[in-house]
C-alpha cells in the first residue's frame, strides 16, 4: 500500500494534479528578487519603488488603467506607470494570462541624465533589467577606459558566481562567445563593450536545462552587470525522458512530412539566438536540446527542442519545434506552424485548431493539444489549476461547487477531463466559436481587476446580448 501511494503521489506531481492556481506576489516580494539579482551582479544603478509606500502615488498604476491615469493627469499628479504586462517566463509562455508585472525605476548617481526600468512578473518572479548603455556608447564614454580588460575566463567566472548566488549551486550549461585578448580584433571589440552569457542550471541526472537561468550582459572592464534577466522556478515534473532525441527527431520528421516536406538536416545542440542561418533569422527561443519549459498555464513539460532544415521552393527553411519528451507530441513553434499551414502543398489549414483556446478575448497557443471527441472538448488535467478547479481523482472541485466526473480520457500518457465540467464548477462562461473553431471562455476572476481597472471588452464577433442568449445559467450536476 505504501508503495502504491508513493507511485500515485509521484503521478500527481508529474501530471500536475497537485498544482494550485498561480497567485500574485507583493511588490515587496518582487522587489527583493530584483534587489538580490542586482547585488549579485554588482549593478551600478539605484533601484527605486521597492515598496508600495515608495510609489509616486502610494498605489499601483497599471499601464492599461486609462481611467486612473487620466484622473491623475487631471489632478496634476505624477501618473508614472508602476505595473505593466510583461512575460512570466523566459520563453514568453503565459504572457496572455499571467503577464501582470511590477515596474521598478532605476537611476544612476554617476549618470544623472539616464533612467531605466526593471520588471518583475508578479506570478513567477521572472525578472528583467533594461540596459543602461546607450546605443554605440563605449567604455571610454562611460568612464571605464582606464580599467584593464578582463579575460574571457575571468568574465565567465564572474557570470558563474552570479548564477550560483541567484539560482543556487550545481552544474550549469553556459552559452557565450569566447574571445582572445591576444587577438587584436577581439581586443578592439570587447575593450569597448560587454559580453553576453546565458547560463542554465543543469539537471544532474539527465543534463536537461531547467527553468532556472540567468541572462547576463557583463561589462568587459568592470565585470559588473549592465543588463540581464533572471528566471528561477521550482521543477515539479519528472526530468527523465521516455523518448530519445532520435525518436523526437523522427516525430518531427513525420509531422513535417504530412505537409509534403522532408527534413534534410538538423542544427546540433546549442544556442542560436541572433544568428542568420540559410537566410532565416533566429530569436531567443532558438535553443536545441532537452529543456524543462512552462506553458501558458504555467504547467511544466520536459521538451526536446529541435531545429530542422527543409526545402521550400528550392530555398532552405527552418522548422523549430518542441517534442514532448514524455509523450512524443510535436508542438511546432508558432511561426513554423503558420508557414507550414499556408504552404500550397499542405491543405491542412485546420490543423492548429486543437492547439488554440480563447480566454477573455486573448488567443492562447497551447503546449499540448486539446481533444475533441463526440462533440466534447477535453483538456489535460495539468491545466485546470488556471481554471480555478482542483481534481482529487474522482471529483472536480471549484468555487461554484463540485462534480463527479465519469467521462475522462487518457491520451499521450496524460489524463484529460471535459472542459465544460471544469467551467461549470469554476463559474466560467463557455461557448464554441464555429468560425474560428476554438472554445471561447470568459473568466471574470482570472485577473486581479483592482490593478487592471475596469474589465476590458472581449474581442471577437460575439457581443454581450448574444452571449447571454447562447449561454444558459450554469448549474452543477452530479453526473458527466
Amino acid at each position: 500500500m505504501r508503495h502504491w501511494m508513493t507511485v500515485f503521489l509521484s503521478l500527481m506531481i508529474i501530471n500536475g494534479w497537485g498544482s494550485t492556481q498561480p497567485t500574485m506576489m507583493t511588490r515587496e516580494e518582487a522587489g527583493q528578487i530584483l534587489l538580490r539579482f542586482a547585488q549579485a551582479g554588482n549593478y551600478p544603478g539605484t533601484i527605486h519603488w521597492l515598496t508600495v509606500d515608495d510609489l509616486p502615488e502610494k498605489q499601483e498604476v497599471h499601464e492599461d488603467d486609462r481611467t486612473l491615469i487620466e484622473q491623475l493627469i487631471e489632478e496634476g499628479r505624477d501618473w508614472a506607470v508602476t505595473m505593466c504586462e510583461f512575460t512570466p517566463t523566459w520563453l514568453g509562455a503565459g504572457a496572455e494570462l499571467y503577464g501582470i508585472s511590477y515596474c521598478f525605476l532605476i537611476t544612476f548617481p554617476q549618470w544623472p541624465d539616464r533612467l531605466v526600468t526593471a520588471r518583475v512578473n508578479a506570478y513567477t518572479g521572472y525578472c528583467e533589467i533594461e540596459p543602461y548603455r546607450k546605443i554605440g556608447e563605449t567604455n571610454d564614454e562611460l568612464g571605464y577606459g582606464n580599467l584593464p580588460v578582463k579575460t574571457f575566463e575571468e568574465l565567465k567566472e564572474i557570470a558563474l558566481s552570479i548564477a550560483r548566488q541567484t539560482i543556487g549551486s550545481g552544474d550549469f550549461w553556459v552559452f557565450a562567445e569566447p574571445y582572445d585578448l591576444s587577438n587584436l580584433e577581439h581586443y578592439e571589440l570587447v575593450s569597448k563593450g560587454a559580453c553576453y552569457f546565458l547560463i542554465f542550471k543543469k539537471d544532474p541526472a539527465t543534463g536537461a536545462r531547467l527553468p532556472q537561468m540567468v541572462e547576463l550582459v557583463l561589462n568587459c572592464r568592470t565585470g559588473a552587470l549592465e543588463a540581464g534577466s533572471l528566471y528561477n522556478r521550482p521543477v515539479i515534473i519528472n526530468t527523465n525522458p521516455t523518448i530519445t532525441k532520435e525518436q523526437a527527431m523522427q516525430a518531427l520528421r513525420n509531422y513535417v512530412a504530412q505537409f509534403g516536406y522532408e527534413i534534410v538536416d538538423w542544427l546540433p545542440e546549442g544556442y542560436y539566438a541572433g544568428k542568420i542561418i540559410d537566410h532565416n533569422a533566429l530569436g531567443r527561443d532558438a535553443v536545441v536540446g532537452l529543456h524543462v519549459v512552462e506553458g501558458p498555464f504555467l504547467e511544466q513539460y520536459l521538451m526536446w527542442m529541435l531545429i530542422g532544415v527543409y526545402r521550400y521552393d528550392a530555398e532552405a527553411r527552418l522548422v523549430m519545434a518542441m517534442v514532448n519528451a514524455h509523450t512524443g507530441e510535436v508542438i511546432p513553434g508558432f511561426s513554423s506552424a503558420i508557414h507550414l499551414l499556408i504552404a500550397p502543398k499542405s491543405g491542412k489549414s485546420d490543423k492548429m485548431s486543437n492547439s488554440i483556446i480563447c480566454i477573455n478575448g486573448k488567443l492562447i497557443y497551447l503546449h499540448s493539444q486539446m481533444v475533441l471527441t463526440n462533440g466534447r472538448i477535453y483538456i489535460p488535467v495539468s491545466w485546470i489549476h488556471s481554471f480555478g478547479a482542483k481534481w482529487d481523482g474522482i471529483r472536480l472541485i471549484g468555487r461554484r461547487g463540485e462534480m463527479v466526473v465519469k467521462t475522462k480520457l487518457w491520451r499521450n500518457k496524460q489524463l484529460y477531463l471535459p472542459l465544460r465540467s471544469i467551467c461549470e464548477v469554476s463559474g466560467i462562461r463557455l461557448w464554441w466559436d464555429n468560425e474560428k473553431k476554438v472554445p471561447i471562455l470568459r473568466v471574470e476572476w482570472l485577473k486581479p481587476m483592482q490593478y487592471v481597472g475596469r474589465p476590458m471588452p472581449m474581442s471577437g464577433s460575439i457581443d454581450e446580448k448574444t452571449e447571454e442568449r447562447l449561454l444558459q445559467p450554469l448549474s452543477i450536476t452530479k453526473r458527466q
Side-chain angles (χ1 to χ4, degrees):
M1 174 65 74
R2 182 177 299 173
H3 173 71
W4 183 89
M5 283 299 296
T6 301
V7 172
F8 179 74
L9 290 173
S10 297
L11 284 173
M12 287 182 65
I13 295 173
I14 292 171
N15 290 286
W17 297 358
S19 300
T20 57
Q21 185 176 356
T23 56
M24 285 183 65
M25 66 180 68
T26 65
R27 170 172 286 276
E28 287 73 15
E29 291 169 329
Q32 287 304 305
I33 293 173
L34 172 60
L35 200 59
R36 287 193 296 270
F37 184 33
Q39 290 173 342
N42 195 26
Y43 186 73
T46 301
I47 301 172
H48 303 274
W49 303 353
L50 291 171
T51 70
V52 174
D53 288 340
D54 294 335
L55 297 178
E57 293 301 323
K58 313 299 182 185
Q59 71 177 108
E60 302 289 359
V61 180
H62 194 282
E63 63 182 357
D64 290 339
D65 195 341
R66 306 309 305 174
T67 301
L68 177 58
I69 291 174
E70 290 171 6
Q71 175 188 328
L72 293 173
I73 293 174
E74 290 175 359
E75 295 173 358
R77 298 157 70 191
D78 189 338
W79 54 275
V81 167
T82 67
M83 298 190 84
C84 66
E85 295 299 309
F86 174 63
T87 179
T89 65
W90 183 69
L91 289 176
E96 302 87 353
L97 297 177
Y98 298 110
I100 291 181
S101 304
Y102 297 104
C103 303
F104 297 85
L105 178 70
I106 301 178
T107 59
F108 302 88
Q110 64 274 52
W111 309 301
D113 62 330
R114 66 187 73 191
L115 302 171
V116 301
T117 302
R119 291 172 286 272
V120 179
N121 184 274
Y123 289 98
T124 67
Y126 174 64
C127 169
E128 188 170 283
I129 303 176
E130 290 180 342
Y132 64 76
R133 183 191 292 262
K134 298 177 181 178
I135 296 176
E137 193 171 35
T138 67
N139 281 331
D140 285 335
E141 293 168 322
L142 289 170
Y144 299 142
N146 293 329
L147 298 176
V149 180
K150 296 186 180 298
T151 67
F152 177 78
E153 289 71 24
E154 289 174 321
L155 216 55
K156 180 181 176 181
E157 189 51 46
I158 292 172
L160 286 169
S161 175
I162 296 172
R164 295 186 190 103
Q165 293 177 66
T166 51
I167 59 178
S169 60
D171 294 328
F172 300 95
W173 287 96
V174 181
F175 297 104
E177 291 289 339
Y179 57 84
D180 180 2
L181 293 183
S182 65
N183 183 310
L184 293 180
E185 186 177 346
H186 287 193
Y187 181 86
E188 178 69 17
L189 181 64
V190 300
S191 67
K192 295 179 179 178
C195 187
Y196 174 85
F197 291 87
L198 176 63
I199 302 177
F200 288 94
K201 180 78 75 68
K202 181 189 297 187
D203 183 83
T206 66
R209 294 165 194 137
L210 303 178
Q212 299 159 4
M213 54 75 69
V214 287
E215 189 177 25
L216 309 170
V217 178
L218 300 183
N219 189 289
C220 290
R221 290 185 183 269
T222 68
L225 182 69
E226 291 192 6
S229 56
L230 166 66
Y231 183 37
N232 190 18
R233 298 279 283 167
V235 179
I236 59 173
I237 62 166
N238 188 334
T239 57
N240 291 302
T242 57
I243 67 170
T244 65
K245 183 177 181 181
E246 289 69 27
Q247 290 171 321
M249 293 164 71
Q250 186 58 50
L252 184 53
R253 284 192 192 96
N254 295 341
Y255 179 88
V256 172
Q258 68 181 316
F259 299 99
Y261 298 98
E262 177 186 3
I263 293 180
V264 297
D265 200 3
W266 300 92
L267 297 193
E269 187 159 310
Y271 186 47
Y272 298 94
K275 298 184 182 298
I276 299 177
I277 299 176
D278 291 327
H279 306 290
N280 297 272
L282 297 174
R284 75 186 302 175
D285 56 345
V287 191
V288 176
L290 186 63
H291 286 254
V292 174
V293 302
E294 291 189 297
F297 302 114
L298 302 185
E299 77 283 23
Q300 290 187 356
Y301 302 89
L302 183 67
M303 297 284 198
W304 288 108
M305 300 182 72
L306 304 172
I307 304 177
V309 182
Y310 68 100
R311 297 288 174 183
Y312 174 72
D313 285 347
E315 290 186 2
R317 298 274 186 166
L318 300 183
V319 55
M320 299 178 59
M322 298 184 293
V323 179
N324 192 308
H326 290 145
T327 69
E329 186 176 12
V330 176
I331 309 298
F334 179 67
S335 59
S336 296
I338 289 295
H339 181 267
L340 288 169
L341 288 168
I342 64 175
K345 292 183 181 180
S346 72
K348 300 269 186 178
S349 59
D350 62 341
K351 186 68 180 178
M352 285 183 65
S353 60
N354 285 353
S355 298
I356 300 175
I357 192 169
C358 183
I359 300 179
N360 292 347
K362 297 178 179 179
L363 293 179
I364 312 299
Y365 298 91
L366 307 171
H367 280 25
S368 183
Q369 289 197 348
M370 299 172 287
V371 174
L372 178 60
T373 181
N374 296 325
R376 287 180 177 170
I377 303 169
Y378 294 80
I379 65 172
V381 71
S382 60
W383 298 356
I384 70 174
H385 58 280
S386 286
F387 293 81
K390 295 181 180 179
W391 172 246
D392 67 1
I394 299 175
R395 298 168 301 163
L396 279 168
I397 304 167
R399 63 187 65 209
R400 288 283 298 274
E402 61 184 56
M403 177 188 298
V404 174
V405 178
K406 296 181 179 179
T407 305
K408 42 190 179 288
L409 302 173
W410 283 91
R411 294 286 190 278
N412 297 321
K413 303 177 185 178
Q414 298 184 84
L415 176 64
Y416 286 72
L417 299 176
L419 177 59
R420 179 162 292 281
S421 300
I422 295 165
C423 290
E424 286 188 6
V425 301
S426 298
I428 297 173
R429 295 180 178 273
L430 166 68
W431 69 89
W432 175 257
D433 187 323
N434 200 45
E435 180 182 351
K436 296 184 177 70
K437 306 297 183 186
V438 296
I440 308 292
L441 282 71
R442 185 190 291 276
V443 191
E444 298 294 351
W445 43 261
L446 182 62
K447 297 180 74 173
M449 303 309 292
Q450 70 269 27
Y451 292 135
V452 179
R454 274 106 327 257
M456 300 297 290
M458 219 186 85
S459 62
S461 58
I462 300 179
D463 58 24
E464 294 284 350
K465 288 186 178 181
T466 306
E467 176 187 345
E468 294 298 329
R469 177 172 55 81
L470 291 175
L471 297 173
Q472 298 299 319
L474 295 174
S475 60
I476 304 302
T477 60
K478 294 299 180 182
R479 57 185 173 82
Q480 176 59 46

